[in-house]
Each structure stands twice: as structure tokens, then as C-alpha cells.
Amino acid sequence: MTEKRTIRAEDLYLLKSVADPQLAHNGVDCVFIETVMLEEENKYSSHLYYINVTEKSKPVQWTFGESRNHSPRWSPDGQSVAFVSDRSGKGQIYVLAVNGGEARQLTKCPNGATNPVWSPDGTKIAFNAALKNGESLSTNISEEKKDKRPVPLEVDKMKYKSDAYGFWQGNFNQVAVIDVRTGEAQLLTSGEHDYQLQSWSPDGKHITVTADLSEDKDQSFGSDVYLIHAETKETKKLTGSTGYFGNATWSPNGRYVGMLGHESEYKNATLAKIWIYDMETEKFNCLTRDSDLLIGDYAIGDFQQGAVTPGILWGEDNHSFYFLATDHGNTVVYYGSLDGELYPALLDNQHVYGLSTGGKVDQAVVAISKPNHPGDLFLLKVTTGEMEQLTQVNEEFLQEVVLAGAEPIEFNSSDHWDLHGWIMKPVNFKDGDKVPLVLEIHGGPHAMYANSYFHEFQCLASQGYAVLYINPRGSHGYGQQFVDAVRGDYGGKDYEDIMDAVDYALANFDFIDVDRLGVTGGSYGGFMTNWIIGHTNRFKAAVTQRSISNWISFYGVSDIGYYFTDWQINSGLNDIETLWRHSPLAYVDEMETPLLILHSEKDFRCPIEQAEQLFIALKDRKKTAKFIRFPEANHELSRSGKPNLRISRLNYITGWFNDYLK
């Protein structure tokens, strides 16, 4: 038998991500997306695959080439699939017949089209399109401007840039409807507002959308659910402008609209809940008001591509539904009902990052990942709890490599809060070994490490490192009080939680070498890495990624700075003293740990000037530091950046720790 090898950063080129399962109404046909990284072309390629969940035959590939094909959605009769493809340049809506033939392009929008939603009778598809005022839904290449000279960017609003989309180019996200047979399209919305398409009512009369229609959008952070009449365009607001609502889905009889949302009681730390609007009584009610359960998938990772979190998925009885929830280091499938029933339908140590029921209550297709399993699709028999694996997309790869397992740990903080995390032993660990430890800290801070595959952790474990990662206060998955506890206390109890975790690991795992500790994290995790090395010298090496170092400048340069600073630090520019006290840069004189700084040039969430300030301050004080700048990359580099840059990033991390901890 051939000995298995350890994993490498470059193995991202070999791994396949399977996501967004969509089960047809017949409960048999399932289409999903498989994504790979193309090394030579240095890009991603995604394709539609089909599987019969009853026969459990080998998946059949439905689209081909080097393009990205995603967002597959079944027609009501199950004979066609609408999807988005960039094969013609920008992403457009295509329709593929199940019985074969070429996919037919439906839209030709100047800036692309997304989010296809079928009408109940299957004759039309609603979709989203980004348009400038007065711009048509169709484009003629000969009419496009040929002058490519740079032009000034005029800015008159605060929300003029975003990490995801760059600088605002004057486009507004509109909802349109296209006739599947004739290709005739018309706008359903217009004006200087962004609308996000949600779902179509079962009688075909209304389309639900979400939007913020307030006048002062710079100071507005809500989202309301609206009904738009598909013919008259008459609009009705279902929610009361009290918070952030979305993921609207209809019960089969059209009486109820279920949605996810919250009333922003704790700003962006507020738990998402399930809300029901009764179309007959016109009453709006929160079903999970008294529950500390977080609705949705808030697990963090660095591998899956194109994962989709659905809203509530109704059963045919118009009374029951399924949904995903984030709970204590797992994402799980829950059953709920209009009577307020809530109980887990699939509760295990795993990350469920995809869910589709086809409108049934007896079975579901779920996408599941675990620390040593990148991800596959499974058929869940809800009544019996049986699980049958449908795909094995990485089976050949997994036969060649050895992956590290993750051992859960639970302990009490110094002030007696329950804390939870994991420790990975190095791959090929032998009893008696003394090994270095790398502490990993997640971003957010309102996110959650989970029982999920993390390529970065596996790369470190393959290099001989133990890996420690926990969910300190501020993390999702442990209730409202826990997630809210970090606000106004950055560098306080959250820092103590992380140090308590290190103390726990050293006290309980004698294979860790106390003199060879490293620390790394990104975004909030980068902030905390900077904070740690400014408050203790117990770590011998550190890698800070897409970090925050100075809250004073962050206020004005981040795409979210002016409100995120207020929400998280509980301070604005009127209180420079507080902002500086929470800034790692204020403690640069105490930083003695060799620091590698990784940052993306086009990171608008934590702009690169945050890294520049820290690097110059360290070098000016003759401290050991190195600065790596990643071109053409944003805040999402580690998750969806250019393949070669993702590989380089991983190798820089392991290389730095190898230099200082080996």
C-alpha cells in the first residue's frame, strides 16, 4: 500500500467544491454546482451537475468549458433549468432543457444578469440586473462606448465604494421579468434604489423583493420586504422599517411569507430570527423571538465556492418548514412550524452549507463539510434520520493525502464563561513529540469557526504544527449575550478568552512546546493578532492578515468605517482617545514579536493603509517585520482571490512560521 502524502497549499488546484444543491419538486432530480481552480488560466471554473437521488447514480456534467456557471433553478415542471453563466462575457441568464441540447441565452443585459426566479406557470423568469438610470435591459455591442480613457470619479455620498464591487459606477440593482419563449423583457422596478429579488407568489400575481427606500441611505442600514404586483407594479411594504429583513419565501398556498431578519437591537451583532407575514390577517410575527438560536449559516472557512444559505423551506402542508441554524460550532438543519415548534432534523458535528427540500417534508439534499472532509452532497431522510452520500467529488484526492482531525475542547474563561474550540495535532504526530503551536483567530468578529474543512489549518498541520482555534466572545453560535459581548470591548475580554485558550491548551496537551508559539488571523483576527503582540511577548512569530491597526483612520477609509466603528467600538471621531486606546498601533513600542503583514491592494474593508501604518511604525523602531502586498485582490483573498495569490498567501504563512518556530 502506497503511503499517503501530506497536504500542500497547491492542493487547492486539485480540490473540488460542490455547493448549491437544488432538488426538483419531484424529489428525485437534483442539480448542483462543482467549482475548480484552473491553474494555467489562474481562474475558477464552475459547472452544473445532475444526479438522480433515488438511483444514486454517478453525477452527470451538464455544462462545459472554462466559464463560471452557477445559480441553477428548476422550472416548475422540472423540464428546464435556468442558470447564470459568464460564457459570453458578463454573467447572463440561460435556460437548459433537461432532455438535452444547448443552453439558450435569455438575457443580454449591459452589466449582466443574476438571480433567476421562475414564475409559477414556468412562462417567465424574474431576475436582477444592475443598470444606470435610463439604461436598457438589452445592449448592442456596436453602441457601447469605445473611448476607454480614464475619467474622474464623482463622489457625493458616503457609500461610494464596497469591498465586493469596488467604486460605485452609478448602477442600481433592479428587478426585471423576461418571457422564456419570446425573450421579451421588462423592468419591474426603477429609480435610484437597489432592489434584491426574493421569490414569486404561488398564484403568480406578486413578486417579493427587498430594498431600502429611505432617502438618506448613508445613515440607513435596514432592509424591508415589499410585494410588487407582477402586472401593475403596485407596491406594498410588508415590514415596518424596523430592521433588516430578507430571504423571503412563500408557503405553497400563498397565505404566508416567511423571512429571516432582525430589528437591529444589537446592530450587526443581532441574531437573525424567523418572521412570518400572514397575507390574510396582515399580521407580522417573529416565531423565534424567545429563542437564542441563530438562523442561517455563519460558519467561516476558506474553501467552499458558491455556497447558498436558503431562507425557510416550506413543506407542502403550508405549516411546517426547514432551515439552517448556527449552533455551538456547527451548522445544522432545523424543523419548524407555525405553531412555534423548533427541533433539529440533523444535529451533528458538521458544517451544513447547503440545503434543498424540493418542497417536501420527508427528505432533503444537504451539502456537508467536516474538518477532514472538504464537502459533499448527502440525502437526508428526515423521518428516519438516515444519511446517504450522493457525491464523492474529492474521493481520489482524499485517497492520496492524510488530513488532520480536529479535537473539540471546552473550558471556562477566567471570568467563568463557557468557551469552545478545537485543537489539531500535526499530521503524522507521534507520542512523545514536542511540537510548535499556531493560534488561529477568525474575523468578523461576528462569525464562527466550525466543524468544517479549513485548507489553511490543514497546511499548517501538514508542516508539523498543532493548530488551536476557538470562538471567543463576539462569535456567533452561542447566543445573543455572547455575540454582543465584544462590542465596546475590543482587546478586553475577547483577548482574555484567547489567552485563556492558550493557557488551557498548554495545561492539557503536553506535546505543545511553550517556547514555540505562533499566532495569526485575518480582519478582526488580524486586529487581534496585532493587539496580542502589543500586549504579550509569549509568541515567537505572528502573521497579521487584512488587519485593523488604527481605528482613527479606519473610520474614514473603510467602506464600512464610519458606522462599523460606532457599532463596534461604541465611539466616533468625537472621541479620539477611545479610538486610539483600542488601536494596536498605540502599542507598537511594546511589539517585539517578528511580524509578517499580509494585505491586499484593493481591500476596501480594511484598507491597505492600515498595514502601511503598522509596517512603517515597526520598521522605524527597528522591529522585525515584513510586508507582503497582494495586487488585484480585495478583503476576500483567502476565500475567493486569484488562485495563484491564494497559494502564495498560504506559502508565506507557513514559510514565516517555519523561519521562526522550527
Side-chain angles (χ1 to χ4, degrees), residues 494-528:
D494 52 349
Y495 166 69
E496 293 180 19
D497 287 351
I498 293 168
M499 292 300 98
D500 288 343
V502 174
D503 292 338
Y504 175 87
L506 292 174
N508 289 273
F509 302 101
D510 59 7
F511 55 81
I512 298 172
D513 187 343
V514 68
D515 294 320
R516 290 189 290 163
L517 303 180
V519 58
T520 185
S523 195
Y524 165 82
F527 157 83
M528 184 53 69

Side-chain angles (χ1 to χ4, degrees), residues 7-13 15 301-303 371 374 397 403 424 452-462 638 646-647 649-650 654:
I7 204 167
R8 304 181 295 259
E10 291 75 10
D11 285 330
L12 277 177
Y13 289 124
L15 284 164
D302 68 348
F303 174 66
F397 172 79
L403 297 178
M424 282 183 167
S452 189
Y453 180 82
F454 220 112
H455 196 68
E456 181 178 328
F457 298 175
Q458 293 291 344
C459 287
L460 287 167
S462 74
S638 66
R646 290 179 66 188
I647 302 300
R649 170 188 163 274
L650 290 168
T654 55

Side-chain angles (χ1 to χ4, degrees), residues 298-541:
Y298 290 82
I300 200 165
D302 68 348
F303 174 66
Q304 298 300 340
Q305 298 289 320
V308 174
T309 299
I312 66 172
L313 301 177
W314 292 90
E316 60 268 47
D317 61 1
N318 300 295
H319 183 78
S320 58
F321 47 82
Y322 293 97
F323 59 92
L324 293 182
T326 296
D327 185 26
H328 205 76
N330 300 300
T331 56
V332 298
V333 180
Y334 259 77
Y335 167 89
S337 77
L338 294 178
D339 293 331
E341 295 175 282
L342 290 175
Y343 58 80
L346 176 60
L347 183 62
D348 202 353
N349 293 324
Q350 86 277 295
H351 173 203
V352 181
Y353 61 93
L355 171 68
S356 181
T357 64
K360 310 296 182 182
V361 295
D362 59 337
Q363 67 176 15
V365 174
V366 290
I368 296 177
S369 177
K370 295 185 178 183
N372 57 359
H373 190 110
D376 270 304
L377 301 185
F378 297 79
L379 180 65
L380 169 65
K381 296 290 186 180
V382 177
T383 53
T384 64
E386 295 178 74
M387 288 262 289
E388 300 177 37
Q389 189 166 345
L390 296 175
T391 65
Q392 295 181 324
V393 294
N394 292 300
E395 187 64 24
E396 184 176 341
F397 172 79
L398 294 175
Q399 292 297 323
E400 297 177 359
V401 301
V402 56
L403 297 178
E407 179 181 339
I409 58 173
E410 295 191 11
F411 58 98
N412 288 327
S413 68
S414 54
D415 60 345
H416 309 296
W417 284 46
D418 293 332
L419 297 175
H420 171 237
W422 297 262
I423 190 161
M424 282 183 167
K425 290 181 180 178
V427 172
N428 298 327
F429 173 81
K430 297 180 178 62
D431 288 341
D433 286 351
K434 276 283 189 180
V435 302
L437 173 77
V438 173
L439 168 68
E440 290 269 6
I441 308 168
H442 69 63
H446 310 310
M448 181 188 75
Y449 278 140
N451 280 297
S452 189
Y453 180 82
F454 220 112
H455 196 68
E456 181 178 328
F457 298 175
Q458 293 291 344
C459 287
L460 287 167
S462 74
Q463 296 267 340
Y465 297 97
V467 182
L468 172 66
Y469 53 108
I470 73 156
N471 288 318
R473 66 193 77 187
S475 301
H476 270 315
Y478 304 88
Q480 185 62 80
Q481 181 185 7
F482 192 89
V483 70
D484 187 55
V486 73
R487 295 199 307 133
D489 192 38
Y490 274 47
K493 293 298 183 182
D494 52 349
Y495 166 69
E496 293 180 19
D497 287 351
I498 293 168
M499 292 300 98
D500 288 343
V502 174
D503 292 338
Y504 175 87
L506 292 174
N508 289 273
F509 302 101
D510 59 7
F511 55 81
I512 298 172
D513 187 343
V514 68
D515 294 320
R516 290 189 290 163
L517 303 180
V519 58
T520 185
S523 195
Y524 165 82
F527 157 83
M528 184 53 69
T529 298
N530 299 339
W531 185 268
I532 285 172
I533 65 172
H535 289 77
T536 178
N537 292 326
R538 70 192 302 185
F539 295 91
K540 297 301 182 287

Side-chain angles (χ1 to χ4, degrees), residues 27-173:
V28 173
D29 299 316
C30 181
V31 64
F32 60 92
I33 299 299
E34 183 177 296
T35 302
V36 296
M37 288 171 30
L38 303 178
E39 182 172 5
E40 186 173 336
E41 295 80 4
N42 197 34
K43 66 178 186 179
Y44 299 85
S45 177
S46 303
H47 288 294
L48 276 64
Y49 281 75
Y50 165 85
I51 191 168
N52 183 306
V53 302
T54 302
E55 297 176 357
K56 302 173 187 65
S57 54
K58 186 178 180 180
V60 177
Q61 188 170 347
W62 271 4
T63 61
F64 300 86
E66 296 179 358
S67 57
R68 297 202 75 165
N69 304 275
H70 58 90
S71 305
R73 299 297 181 263
W74 289 100
S75 62
D77 63 5
Q79 297 303 303
S80 301
V81 171
F83 64 100
V84 179
S85 177
D86 65 1
R87 64 187 65 183
S88 61
K90 295 184 172 83
Q92 303 288 355
I93 308 295
Y94 288 74
V95 173
L96 180 66
V98 171
N99 58 10
E102 290 291 324
R104 179 166 59 95
Q105 183 174 346
L106 269 188
T107 63
K108 294 182 180 180
C109 299
N111 306 303
T114 61
N115 192 20
V117 176
W118 289 88
S119 64
D121 62 6
T123 63
K124 298 177 181 179
I125 293 176
F127 61 93
N128 274 119
L131 301 169
K132 293 179 173 62
N133 276 337
E135 196 168 29
S136 170
L137 278 169
S138 60
T139 183
N140 188 322
I141 297 177
S142 63
E143 296 176 354
E144 291 185 348
K145 293 180 180 179
K146 297 180 180 180
D147 189 349
K148 299 298 183 182
R149 291 177 295 181
V151 296
L153 177 69
E154 296 182 7
V155 175
D156 61 4
K157 62 179 186 176
M158 298 171 77
K159 295 178 181 177
Y160 71 93
K161 63 180 179 180
S162 80
D163 186 68
Y165 303 108
F167 291 122
W168 185 66
Q169 299 297 322
N171 296 326
F172 291 96
N173 203 33

